[in-house]
Amino acid sequence: MSLPSAPTSRSERYIGRFAPSPTGPLHFGSLVCALGSFLDAIAHGGHWLIRMEDLDPPREMPGAAERILHSLHAHGLRSHFPVVWQSKRHDLYQQALQQLRARDQVYRCSCTREQVRKAGGHTRDNCIGASGPYALRFACAGTREGFADIWQGTQQQAIDEDPILKRKDGLYAYQLAVVVDDIAQGINHVVRGADLLDCTGIQQSLFRALGAEPPHFGHLPLVMNDAGQKLSKQNHAAPLDDSKASLNLIQALGFLGLRPPHELAANTPAHILAWASAHWQRKAVDRHNRLLD
Ligand code: GLU
């Protein structure tokens, strides 16, 4: 798999994905994202794939990746292609960095966060950090990116800091790997949680810098807890109970605006997903983050 050297046009067939980071087991909010991305792909005659974003070992929980795959499987959400693991794709990320370096779009920076902020987000010509380990930054601060989000509408994002593509500790950054893999896997629709909306401008800019057309983006509403925070591993959202897969799916469908008939809950996940693919409507999804009904 190599990155395109010239702009590629989107392939006709919809290709979507779910790309969890194995920092903990899936919770109900992650099921909503997995299900939304799956249904949008299937309802558009597309393919859907799972990519394991195991890029950051210090943040990972042992066994979480396998548990996530087990949960997805139990809920009938199966990748149409073999699951890709980011930990096995470092060569591809390195190659992308070289491509950007050849175009003078990355630079070394040893500044601290505070120093970068004081330098106005862009330290290419005035890196003031002490010598020592350096990060690689993508020069894009000061530009703007616009896109039409499927659910969140027209977006305009000003990029105010050059993002890190490779960290000082030598790890490849999420922003780089996610874009490189979306390009390499021919992803033309990214459906994910609204917590990632703010990263999209940077990613769009990176798609172009790597010679690829950005995908369509759709950011789904987040499931909130009583304290008004999104469900997350950090605030101890309960792990999905795989033995209640059908019930979990029915509840997630409700959150996404579908009204499955009562008796569907007694069916298998495969049946429920077949019903949901036939009834999926983007416009039924309420774009606002909210509690579960
Ligand atoms: N791996 C990221 C996460 O779990 C999601 C990446 C994406 O969907 O773009 O938050």
Side-chain angles (χ1 to χ4, degrees):
M1 242 179 308
S2 71
L3 296 167
S5 52
T8 47
S9 58
R10 290 191 186 113
S11 75
E12 288 303 303
R13 186 157 187 179
Y14 184 129
I15 308 181
R17 48 66 161 187
F18 177 60
S21 303
T23 50
L26 293 185
H27 50 73
F28 184 74
S30 16
L31 177 65
V32 165
C33 292
L35 183 60
S37 67
F38 176 86
L39 293 177
D40 201 59
I42 304 303
H44 289 91
H47 290 304
W48 181 78
L49 53 90
I50 299 171
R51 182 170 71 229
M52 191 54 69
E53 301 211 319
D54 56 341
L55 202 61
D56 190 352
R59 286 190 57 229
E60 285 158 23
M61 177 191 277
E66 290 71 24
R67 196 159 161 197
I68 288 172
L69 293 177
H70 182 273
S71 275
L72 291 169
H73 196 265
H75 288 79
L77 298 167
R78 298 189 187 171
S79 183
H80 293 178
F81 297 104
V83 174
V84 155
W85 296 70
Q86 287 192 326
S87 55
K88 306 218 160 62
R89 294 162 73 81
H90 289 184
D91 289 355
L92 212 55
Y93 311 141
Q94 192 53 38
Q95 195 185 322
L97 283 177
Q98 274 154 8
Q99 195 175 319
L100 292 169
R101 205 195 307 250
R103 297 178 54 179
D104 203 23
Q105 286 177 299
V106 286
Y107 65 94
R108 293 177 179 186
C109 174
S110 53
C111 294
T112 61
R113 262 191 190 159
E114 185 57 16
Q115 287 169 330
V116 174
R117 204 184 49 77
K118 283 196 180 138
H122 186 78
T123 51
R124 182 205 282 270
D125 305 316
N126 55 350
C127 173
I128 48 176
S131 56
Y134 57 84
L136 291 178
R137 288 186 183 270
F138 172 44
C140 62
T143 60
R144 297 182 73 80
E145 286 285 338
F147 57 97
D149 190 271
I150 299 170
W151 288 285
Q152 308 301 327
T154 305
Q155 303 291 312
Q156 279 295 334
Q157 296 184 354
I159 302 176
D160 52 17
E161 185 175 308
D162 290 338
I164 289 178
L165 300 186
K166 193 172 185 189
R167 297 171 9 185
K168 281 183 191 170
D169 60 9
L171 293 176
Y172 294 98
Y174 155 70
Q175 302 282 20
L176 176 71
V178 75
V179 171
V180 169
D181 281 333
D182 282 342
I183 296 172
Q185 297 189 285
I187 302 295
N188 48 25
H189 287 75
V190 169
V191 170
R192 59 188 177 186
D195 50 332
L196 292 167
L197 185 63
D198 291 347
C199 301
T200 307
I202 289 171
Q203 291 173 12
Q204 193 161 276
S205 175
L206 199 46
F207 269 96
R208 294 214 185 83
L210 289 168
E213 193 178 339
H216 296 285
F217 287 98
H219 289 84
L220 293 166
L222 303 176
V223 185
M224 309 301 275
N225 66 17
D226 293 338
Q229 306 156 316
K230 74 156 190 151
L231 294 193
S232 73
K233 296 147 200 166
Q234 290 73 29
N235 56 41
H236 313 296
L240 274 183
D241 180 348
D242 294 342
S243 71
K244 299 199 174 120
S246 294
L247 276 176
N248 295 337
L249 285 170
I250 296 288
Q251 210 177 9
L253 291 176
F255 188 83
L256 290 168
L258 275 86
R259 295 286 167 255
H262 241 55
E263 58 280 10
L264 200 62
N267 280 290
T268 60
H271 265 89
I272 296 172
L273 293 178
W275 179 90
S277 314
H279 290 81
W280 175 249
Q281 281 192 58
R282 286 179 172 174
K283 65 177 186 327
V285 178
D286 170 357
R287 72 180 184 85
H288 297 100
N289 299 340
R290 60 195 191 283
L291 289 169
L292 223 45
D293 293 335

